[in-house]
Amino acid sequence: MESISDSWIITLRNLIIKNLKENMLPLPVSKSICYEWALDLKLRKNCDTILYTSCLYQLAPYINAFTKYIEKFGVSKGRFSSLVSIFSKFSFFIQPNKELVEKTNKILKNIANELSKVMDFGYLYEDEPYSGALLYELGFEDEFKEYAEKVVELFESKNIKKIITVDPHTHYILKVIYPKFVNFNIDVINYLEIIKPNKKVNLTATIHDSCLYARFLNMYDLPRKILDEIGVLRKEHDIITAKDSGGCCGGPLESLAPEISRKIAEKRIQDLTKVSNNVIVLCPICLANLSRVASNVNIIDFAELIG
């Protein structure tokens, strides 16, 4: 197994930062992929409460596609010049899985539709920035702080008072990490804390918890409560799906060491299928990372069940 190259880490850092400066996204994709899912919903742009995706669900299929090239070319010194070329011509080389694109867009629509039943909110569309979570998760704290200040400045220019997050990485970054690095006084709440779905779902499944939701944000029980209310028969295991011992999906390590990430994901799938072949996830990174190694396993995002 290849070791993680210091040169690749520095190169990846520079690529991410360059792109964040250009379009406030970590990858050189069209900004339109972030808001196309919401065009027919006609959400308000001018509202002090916003639904904030950080474009993470929308980026997941592209991250998966790019990960294949990282696996192909490796990250040892001297072998990643091709990756830099691919990154610079991203739209030409990277073809995301269309089914995953459709899936992630539907997930966001379901969340927006459920939220609209209980509250008023808006959406920034083309002005929505990425949160900068990847910079922090990869250890680039100085760069993260600088970028976070720009994000906060944008939110303040839009007079945002409350942010509704849809994934654990964004929620953790805004709720816990931003206040440690920047002056951030905007109220942050997760969609799981708001929605009140009333549909019934005939499904037996197990849960792959987000590490952040379960162990860092005290949101282990909340999704289970909602699943119980809509009729999902949960299958649990005292180790595999327990709060303190449930395994990781292997992300976001895929950008640094995709082979290691894959092995972690394969082990997690192996464990989960001992409980059920239907696996509910609550995170776009988990959805992408487990989906790329799962065969004969039904990976279902939580939000697919509420809409």
Side-chain angles (χ1 to χ4, degrees):
M1 183 182 298
E2 291 190 40
S3 61
I4 302 173
S5 164
D6 289 343
S7 298
W8 171 242
I9 294 174
I10 294 170
T11 300
L12 182 62
R13 166 199 173 276
N14 292 340
L15 291 171
I16 292 171
I17 290 173
K18 178 180 183 293
N19 213 67
L20 288 173
K21 288 180 178 178
E22 291 176 355
N23 67 357
M24 299 191 84
L25 290 175
L27 297 177
V29 295
S30 170
K31 194 80 174 185
S32 63
I33 74 159
C34 292
Y35 60 84
E36 285 175 339
W37 68 272
L39 289 176
D40 61 344
L41 299 184
K42 298 180 179 179
L43 302 173
R44 291 170 53 195
K45 289 192 68 174
N46 299 316
C47 188
D48 62 7
T49 297
I50 61 165
L51 172 64
Y52 177 54
T53 74
S54 187
C55 203
L56 197 55
Y57 267 105
Q58 302 92 310
L59 285 171
Y62 294 86
I63 294 171
N64 259 17
F66 186 48
T67 298
K68 292 180 181 178
Y69 283 94
I70 302 177
E71 286 185 291
K72 178 179 178 180
F73 290 103
V75 295
S76 60
K77 186 175 180 179
R79 292 195 62 202
F80 55 78
S81 59
S82 296
L83 292 175
V84 177
S85 175
I86 290 169
F87 199 88
S88 65
K89 300 175 182 177
F90 202 88
S91 60
F92 177 78
F93 283 104
I94 304 303
Q95 299 297 323
N97 180 284
K98 291 183 179 180
E99 290 184 2
L100 188 56
V101 171
E102 292 174 358
K103 186 183 185 80
T104 53
N105 286 345
K106 184 64 164 59
I107 286 165
L108 294 174
K109 281 191 174 186
N110 283 359
I111 293 172
N113 288 332
E114 286 303 307
L115 286 171
S116 67
K117 296 176 183 178
V118 294
M119 68 182 300
D120 184 34
F121 62 92
Y123 181 56
L124 295 180
Y125 285 90
E126 67 273 10
D127 293 327
E128 183 180 65
Y130 176 65
S131 69
L134 187 58
L135 285 176
Y136 178 79
E137 290 166 350
L138 294 179
F140 307 131
E141 293 190 354
D142 291 341
E143 294 85 351
F144 168 75
K145 181 179 186 299
E146 181 180 350
Y147 177 74
E149 288 172 347
K150 294 180 181 179
V151 174
V152 174
E153 182 180 347
L154 187 151
F155 286 150
E156 290 178 344
S157 73
K158 303 289 185 182
N159 296 312
I160 304 302
K161 306 300 182 186
K162 178 179 287 188
I163 292 173
I164 306 167
T165 60
V166 300
D167 73 84
H169 292 267
T170 303
H171 191 72
Y172 180 70
I173 286 293
L174 296 191
K175 187 83 172 180
V176 179
I177 304 303
Y178 263 41
K180 295 180 180 180
F181 284 82
V182 296
N183 183 19
F184 185 68
N185 300 306
I186 300 174
D187 185 25
V188 179
I189 189 168
N190 189 268
Y191 86 99
L192 293 169
E193 302 172 271
I194 304 171
I195 60 169
K196 301 181 184 299
N198 56 14
K199 67 178 293 185
K200 291 298 179 181
V201 178
N202 181 20
L203 177 69
T204 299
T206 191
I207 302 173
H208 165 75
D209 288 285
S210 152
C211 297
L212 291 172
Y213 275 158
R215 292 185 280 279
F216 292 88
L217 290 165
N218 195 31
M219 292 173 65
Y220 176 82
D221 294 322
L222 180 56
R224 285 168 167 77
K225 178 177 181 293
I226 297 172
L227 290 173
D228 290 346
E229 290 172 349
I230 65 175
V232 173
L233 178 60
R234 290 188 288 111
K235 299 196 73 174
E236 303 279 6
H237 187 280
D238 56 3
I239 295 176
I240 295 171
T241 64
K243 180 177 181 179
D244 296 323
S245 57
C248 176
C249 75
L253 186 62
E254 69 277 355
S255 62
L256 291 179
E259 291 184 4
I260 297 174
S261 176
R262 176 180 288 277
K263 287 186 179 297
I264 294 171
E266 288 172 344
K267 178 61 167 64
R268 185 56 178 159
I269 286 291
Q270 181 182 3
D271 288 342
L272 288 166
T273 52
K274 295 175 183 176
V275 186
S276 175
N277 281 332
N278 293 319
V279 176
I280 299 171
V281 298
L282 297 108
C283 168
I285 302 300
C286 296
L287 173 65
N289 221 41
L290 294 181
S291 293
R292 75 187 181 101
V293 301
S295 62
N296 300 318
V297 181
N298 189 19
I299 308 293
I300 310 162
D301 190 273
F302 179 92
E304 293 181 273
L305 301 174
I306 62 174

